[in-house]
């Protein structure tokens, strides 16, 4: 299956999911995106860049560097400490997930605020291996 079709099918399994996107944080590019509504491409590109900032911004890199240093790990081990980030906005839940196979790729699921957060997170986690296999 293609990445687009797997993302489309994951939208139907994650509770009250309205959109999903796959972002390469090293470039800030949106690799794939599916939504139940139409949104301007400029908004989607900006969200991709914001996701890159969220996981790979200067302050986040500094925090990861400090964690490695405090644990006596080499700088070159590439360990990332932020794996999942959940953002609750006024009407939506945004679930950001770093891939295990491709740690520079972030999957984002956007659900209605009324979704059960635990179930959305569980279903999003279950979708990740298939998504990464399609890359």
């Amino acid at each position: 299956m293609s990445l687009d079709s797997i993302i489309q099918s994951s939208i139907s399994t994650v509770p009250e999911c309205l959109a999903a996107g796959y972002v390469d944080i090293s470039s800030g590019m949106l690799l794939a995106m599916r939504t139940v509504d139409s949104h301007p491409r400029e908004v989607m590109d900006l969200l991709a860049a914001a996701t890159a900032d969220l996981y790979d911004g200067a302050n986040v890199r500094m925090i990861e560097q400090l964690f490695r240093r405090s644990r006596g790990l080499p700088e070159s081990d590439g360990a990332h400490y932020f794996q999942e980030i959940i953002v609750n906005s006024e009407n939506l839940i945004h679930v950001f997930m770093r891939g295990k196979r491709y740690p520079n790729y972030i999957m984002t699921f956007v659900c209605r605020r009324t979704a059960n957060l635990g179930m959305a997170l569980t279903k999003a986690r279950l979708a990740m291996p298939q998504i990464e296999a399609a890359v």
Side-chain angles (χ1 to χ4, degrees), residues 43-93:
V43 171
M44 294 302 137
D45 289 339
L46 187 56
L47 289 173
T51 301
D53 288 343
L54 187 63
Y55 273 91
D56 201 36
N59 290 325
V60 171
R61 284 195 310 269
M62 189 179 304
I63 289 169
E64 289 182 339
Q65 180 183 23
L66 291 171
F67 277 144
R68 281 192 289 273
R69 192 176 302 146
S70 71
R71 291 179 170 95
L73 298 173
E75 286 299 314
S76 61
D77 82 343
H80 295 286
Y81 294 93
F82 298 108
Q83 300 299 314
E84 297 173 346
I85 298 173
I86 298 166
V87 176
N88 291 311
S89 64
E90 188 172 329
N91 298 309
L92 301 169
I93 299 169

Side-chain angles (χ1 to χ4, degrees), residues 6-77:
I6 289 175
I7 290 175
Q8 183 63 48
S9 70
S10 68
I11 286 177
S12 64
T13 62
V14 175
E16 300 190 56
C17 189
L18 302 172
Y22 204 44
V23 176
D24 176 358
I25 59 171
S26 39
S27 67
M29 288 183 55
L30 186 62
L31 301 175
M33 192 255 329
R34 287 286 177 250
T35 179
V36 298
D37 292 328
S38 62
H39 299 286
R41 182 67 190 190
E42 299 83 25
V43 171
M44 294 302 137
D45 289 339
L46 187 56
L47 289 173
T51 301
D53 288 343
L54 187 63
Y55 273 91
D56 201 36
N59 290 325
V60 171
R61 284 195 310 269
M62 189 179 304
I63 289 169
E64 289 182 339
Q65 180 183 23
L66 291 171
F67 277 144
R68 281 192 289 273
R69 192 176 302 146
S70 71
R71 291 179 170 95
L73 298 173
E75 286 299 314
S76 61
D77 82 343

Side-chain angles (χ1 to χ4, degrees), residues 84-132:
E84 297 173 346
I85 298 173
I86 298 166
V87 176
N88 291 311
S89 64
E90 188 172 329
N91 298 309
L92 301 169
I93 299 169
H94 307 262
V95 177
F96 300 88
M97 306 179 87
R98 182 186 298 274
K100 294 188 185 320
R101 193 170 175 186
Y102 303 107
N104 283 333
Y105 291 174
I106 306 299
M107 187 65 207
T108 305
F109 294 97
V110 180
C111 305
R112 287 185 185 93
R113 181 73 185 240
T114 55
N116 178 308
L117 177 58
M119 188 57 75
L121 189 55
T122 298
K123 293 293 188 171
R125 286 175 178 162
L126 287 171
M128 284 302 290
Q130 273 191 306
I131 292 166
E132 287 194 293

